[in-house]
Amino acid sequence: MLKVKKEGIILKPSRLDFENKAVLNPTCIKKGNYVHMFYRAVRKDNVSCIGYCRLKGPLSVVQRSKRPILCPEFNYDRDGLEDPRITYMDKKYYMFYTVYDGKNARVAYAVSKDLKSFKKQSVITPDITYDEAEDLFRHSREEHGKLKDLYFFFEAYFKDSVGKDVLLWEKDIMLFPKKINGKYALLHRILPDIQIIYFKDFKDLTLHYWKNYLKHLSNFIVLTSKHGYESRNVGGGAVPIETNKGWLLIYHAVEDTEDGRIYRASAALLDKKNPLKLIGRLKGPLFSPEEEWEKKGNVSNVVFPTGTAVFGKKLYIYYGAADTRIAAASVNLKDLLTELLKNK
């Protein structure tokens, strides 16, 4: 059996105004023996910023910023910046995060050279309504015959619950730390699956690009729900980790139950040269809400893995617990890869 150790709570909300309700869903960059952690910080009016702390080793917080790194500034992010994911590439740090304007959830990014100051760039996901997306989904299904009914369920759900003019919800975007076949590769999530996009330059991500991409969305699905614990949807977790066996993807899975949704952590292995090729995935969750602080909080029954760091033989996974606090779990990296290869 694969052994996962719950290492406990790493960070709790503080008395500071910008993070007095919750801290959750961190992204991490390891430098030497230190882990630089950027996390979603929520104030009492439910508006989120990006906070920062530094860990010595995998578990000890030695520095915590009293001010957020990034905050709402523009109309598109006026109701919050959420769930950052950071990648080092081309001598720069790229941080992607969800921006919320009170109605629409899209993704923007910022760039830094020193992990101290980040310059916001732009929203990169498309201004396409779910009404428009339905036609593009239908084209993809008619051409390729693979797009499942849940895409249309979520399209109808958002139109009914938010409005016909709601834009396509995009979350869980992360950049691979290496170009693949000479192109940037981004994982993202249009409910209910995990997809990938390739491009040569961020300027290529135009509305025309996205419409053409959505017409052929079936060709770019990396991971789709397969097991019972993934019944509602799957979504990206931490930035993919390059191993000698392939790209290790830690992701989250959501199950609809009679008692509500349960968020769990899981893992998959993707081909190095073609991440659309799935090498293996776990049949059961990597870990689930079990502790009191994972079961109860702002949202109950949630473990939401978004950051990783490797120390020695161990992979440390940092996650949001019950949308309230940040915790960590660890697993032997070699054992995890072995388990994934058993489930080709």
Side-chain angles (χ1 to χ4, degrees), residues 131-180:
D131 223 21
E132 296 172 291
E134 180 185 15
D135 295 332
L136 300 171
F137 292 162
R138 188 172 292 111
H139 182 280
S140 182
R141 171 180 272 185
E142 289 171 356
E143 182 173 332
H144 307 290
K146 298 177 185 176
L147 215 58
K148 56 191 180 184
D149 291 341
L150 271 174
Y151 280 89
F152 299 92
F153 165 80
F154 283 112
E155 178 268 332
Y157 168 80
F158 279 105
K159 282 199 301 185
D160 290 343
S161 62
V162 185
K164 286 192 174 182
D165 60 342
V166 65
L167 300 176
L168 190 65
W169 274 49
E170 277 273 21
K171 287 193 171 187
D172 303 327
I173 282 193
M174 59 202 75
L175 182 68
F176 278 78
K178 277 188 176 180
K179 289 185 177 179
I180 296 174

Side-chain angles (χ1 to χ4, degrees), residues 29 31 86-89 91-95 110-115 118:
I29 284 281
K31 294 185 72 178
I86 193 167
T87 300
Y88 181 70
M89 192 176 182
K91 297 181 179 180
K92 289 185 284 189
Y93 297 95
Y94 293 86
M95 185 186 292
V111 174
S112 174
K113 291 184 178 180
D114 58 10
L115 289 177
F118 284 84

Side-chain angles (χ1 to χ4, degrees), residues 18-285:
F18 76 95
E19 58 178 20
N20 55 11
K21 182 173 183 178
V23 293
L24 64 157
N25 303 357
T27 187
C28 301
I29 284 281
K30 184 189 174 193
K31 294 185 72 178
N33 195 42
Y34 291 91
V35 176
H36 297 265
M37 178 180 285
F38 300 86
Y39 56 89
R40 179 180 173 187
V42 189
R43 64 193 195 208
K44 287 185 178 177
D45 64 357
N46 285 323
V47 174
S48 299
C49 293
I50 306 299
Y52 168 80
C53 71
R54 185 164 62 102
L55 281 60
K56 185 176 183 180
L59 302 172
S60 300
V61 177
V62 292
Q63 179 188 353
R64 185 171 182 176
S65 177
K66 293 182 179 180
R67 296 180 178 179
I69 300 298
L70 290 171
C71 273
E73 290 181 80
F74 305 107
N75 193 48
Y76 65 77
D77 65 5
R78 65 179 181 267
D79 275 45
L81 290 70
E82 306 174 0
D83 301 356
R85 267 84 166 194
I86 193 167
T87 300
Y88 181 70
M89 192 176 182
D90 299 335
K91 297 181 179 180
K92 289 185 284 189
Y93 297 95
Y94 293 86
M95 185 186 292
F96 296 83
Y97 49 91
T98 298
V99 290
Y100 186 54
D101 63 7
K103 184 174 189 176
N104 301 296
R106 294 179 286 170
V107 173
Y109 76 107
V111 174
S112 174
K113 291 184 178 180
D114 58 10
L115 289 177
K116 295 178 182 178
S117 59
F118 284 84
K119 185 177 180 181
K120 289 183 179 180
Q121 302 299 304
S122 61
V123 173
I124 60 170
T125 47
D127 289 351
I128 294 175
T129 66
Y130 265 101
D131 223 21
E132 296 172 291
E134 180 185 15
D135 295 332
L136 300 171
F137 292 162
R138 188 172 292 111
H139 182 280
S140 182
R141 171 180 272 185
E142 289 171 356
E143 182 173 332
H144 307 290
K146 298 177 185 176
L147 215 58
K148 56 191 180 184
D149 291 341
L150 271 174
Y151 280 89
F152 299 92
F153 165 80
F154 283 112
E155 178 268 332
Y157 168 80
F158 279 105
K159 282 199 301 185
D160 290 343
S161 62
V162 185
K164 286 192 174 182
D165 60 342
V166 65
L167 300 176
L168 190 65
W169 274 49
E170 277 273 21
K171 287 193 171 187
D172 303 327
I173 282 193
M174 59 202 75
L175 182 68
F176 278 78
K178 277 188 176 180
K179 289 185 177 179
I180 296 174
N181 299 320
K183 293 183 178 181
Y184 291 106
L186 269 179
L187 288 180
H188 68 122
R189 186 210 70 188
I190 298 172
L191 284 163
D193 298 327
I194 300 173
Q195 303 90 9
I196 193 168
I197 58 173
Y198 297 106
F199 56 95
K200 288 188 175 180
D201 193 288
F202 282 89
K203 294 178 182 177
D204 297 343
L205 298 177
T206 62
L207 184 61
H208 174 76
Y209 171 94
W210 279 105
K211 284 185 176 180
N212 185 63
Y213 171 82
L214 292 172
K215 276 186 175 180
H216 308 282
L217 187 61
S218 298
N219 290 333
F220 300 99
I221 296 172
V222 174
L223 205 66
T224 187
S225 300
K226 181 179 181 180
H227 304 295
Y229 71 94
E230 305 167 328
S231 62
R232 185 179 190 271
N233 67 274
V234 293
V239 172
I241 303 166
E242 186 178 14
T243 75
N244 59 356
K245 303 297 183 182
W247 291 106
L248 173 60
L249 178 63
I250 304 298
Y251 66 95
H252 73 268
V254 187
E255 180 182 7
D256 273 325
T257 74
E258 291 182 357
D259 297 322
R261 296 172 192 167
I262 301 175
Y263 285 72
R264 298 185 172 93
S266 196
L269 196 61
L270 312 176
D271 186 82
K272 274 191 182 184
K273 294 182 179 179
N274 178 18
L276 282 165
K277 182 180 178 182
L278 180 64
I279 297 173
R281 72 191 294 178
L282 297 182
K283 293 180 179 179

